[in-house]
Amino acid sequence: GTITGCAVALFKASIAATAAAVYDGDSVVMPWDERNIGGLYVLVPAAGGLAVSALRALSPRGMGPGLPEHVAEVEQSVAVRPAASLVRGASAVATLGTGNALGPEGPSVELGVFISRLVSGFATGTYRLQEGTNSREL
C-alpha cells in the first residue's frame, strides 16, 4: 500500500509538472504569454495527443495492459511487462498534463494493480519479468 501510494503521488506530481511546463508563461518548454498567443492554448491538448501517438508508435509491445488486461494476465499467469506499463503511465501523464481527460481514477488504479503484481511476485518468489520475447524467473 505504501509503495502504491508513493507511486500515485509521483504520478500526480508528474501530471502537475507537465501542466506547469506547458501552460505557465515562465516555462522553458512553452515560454509564452497569454496576450501574445490568444486562442492557441487549444493546441496544447492536441500536442498531448501527438505525444501519446508518438509513445504508442515507439512502443513495440503497445500501450501496456489496462485493468481488464491486468486481471486476465493474472488469471493466465502472464509475466509482468514493466516497460509496457511505464509507456501507459507516461501516456497518461501526457494526456492529463496537457488538459485531456482519462477518467477520475483509471490511471491510478492501473498503476496500483501493476505495483501490486510486482510486489506480490517478489513476496512469493514467483516474480517473472518479461521484456520482448525474453522471459526469466527470479
Side-chain angles (χ1 to χ4, degrees):
T2 301
I3 296 170
T4 299
C6 290
V8 170
L10 180 62
F11 172 70
K12 299 237 182 224
S14 299
I15 293 168
T18 301
V22 297
Y23 284 109
D24 287 349
D26 297 334
S27 168
V28 174
V29 177
M30 299 287 185
W32 53 28
D33 185 349
E34 285 181 41
R35 296 176 303 247
N36 296 336
I37 64 159
L40 291 179
Y41 269 116
V42 73
L43 297 178
V44 173
L50 289 174
V52 171
S53 295
L55 285 168
R56 176 175 231 141
L58 295 173
S59 177
R61 302 269 313 197
M63 294 296 287
L67 191 55
E69 292 86 2
H70 271 297
V71 171
E73 287 180 358
V74 168
E75 290 172 349
Q76 298 168 4
S77 298
V78 174
V80 177
R81 296 177 290 147
S85 291
L86 291 175
V87 168
R88 189 170 184 91
S91 296
V93 168
T95 299
L96 295 170
T98 57
N100 294 299
L102 287 177
E105 295 92 19
S108 296
V109 171
E110 290 172 3
L111 179 61
V113 170
F114 168 67
I115 290 174
S116 70
R117 287 182 69 192
L118 286 177
V119 170
S120 67
F122 279 122
T124 61
T126 60
Y127 175 71
R128 292 186 310 141
L129 177 65
Q130 178 180 336
E131 289 301 326
T133 57
N134 298 329
S135 181
R136 60 185 170 169
E137 289 200 27
L138 300 179

